[in-house]
Amino acid sequence: MRTVRKRSFALMATVVTLSLVASMATVLTACAVQFYRERQADRVAITTHTVADSAGAYVQLHRAEWNSEMSPTPIDLPVEELLSPGLSGTARLSFETVGEHYLCRITVVVRNRANRVRDQIEIRIN
């Protein structure tokens, strides 16, 4: 009888221990997945701001030629070289007149499978 009790207790202790270990592994996996998703969202946001800054530098570089004559249609900038693998995006320059001033609006969108970040910057041309 005593042997059966000892074996029963050992079996119960083993089952409880394995259940605790499996629960901890599940919680750690869920935390790791959440951490990975947050880092990917941060990566997309940082890349979006980087592409927007690069487009702003492009506008500053061409400011003199647009000061005399703005482009009547939006300009899509090639941004593929600025993006990390797994990301896709666009950068569009659109021009408008506000009162006496020319305005360039930069719209940048970067996305991966789960995240999409949009940034918009306005720069006065004259």
Side-chain angles (χ1 to χ4, degrees):
M1 220 33 171
R2 243 183 166 161
T3 309
V4 173
R5 280 187 183 171
K6 286 182 181 179
R7 287 184 181 169
S8 297
F9 178 75
L11 180 62
M12 289 298 289
T14 303
V15 168
V16 169
T17 303
L18 287 176
S19 297
L20 289 173
V21 169
S23 298
M24 287 179 17
T26 301
V27 169
L28 286 174
T29 302
C31 290
V33 166
Q34 181 63 28
F35 180 77
Y36 177 77
R37 287 182 182 156
E38 289 173 359
R39 295 299 72 77
Q40 290 302 312
D42 291 345
R43 179 176 159 234
V44 172
I46 289 169
T47 303
T48 302
H49 298 307
T50 302
V51 171
D53 290 344
S54 179
Y58 181 83
V59 169
Q60 296 295 339
L61 187 66
H62 294 279
R63 173 181 262 177
E65 75 183 61
W66 290 329
N67 195 15
S68 59
E69 183 179 343
M70 290 191 313
S71 173
T73 60
I75 299 172
D76 290 325
L77 298 177
V79 296
E80 292 78 21
E81 292 181 13
L82 299 174
L83 302 174
S84 304
L87 298 179
S88 63
T90 60
R92 174 171 278 196
L93 309 178
S94 56
F95 301 91
E96 62 184 67
T97 304
V98 178
E100 299 175 358
H101 304 290
Y102 297 141
L103 186 69
C104 176
R105 181 171 289 121
I106 303 168
T107 305
V108 176
V109 178
V110 176
R111 68 184 65 82
N112 65 3
R113 287 187 303 174
N115 303 296
R116 178 183 181 272
V117 178
R118 182 176 185 265
D119 194 8
Q120 191 167 358
I121 300 172
E122 293 181 349
I123 299 176
R124 269 184 43 188
I125 300 295
N126 62 350

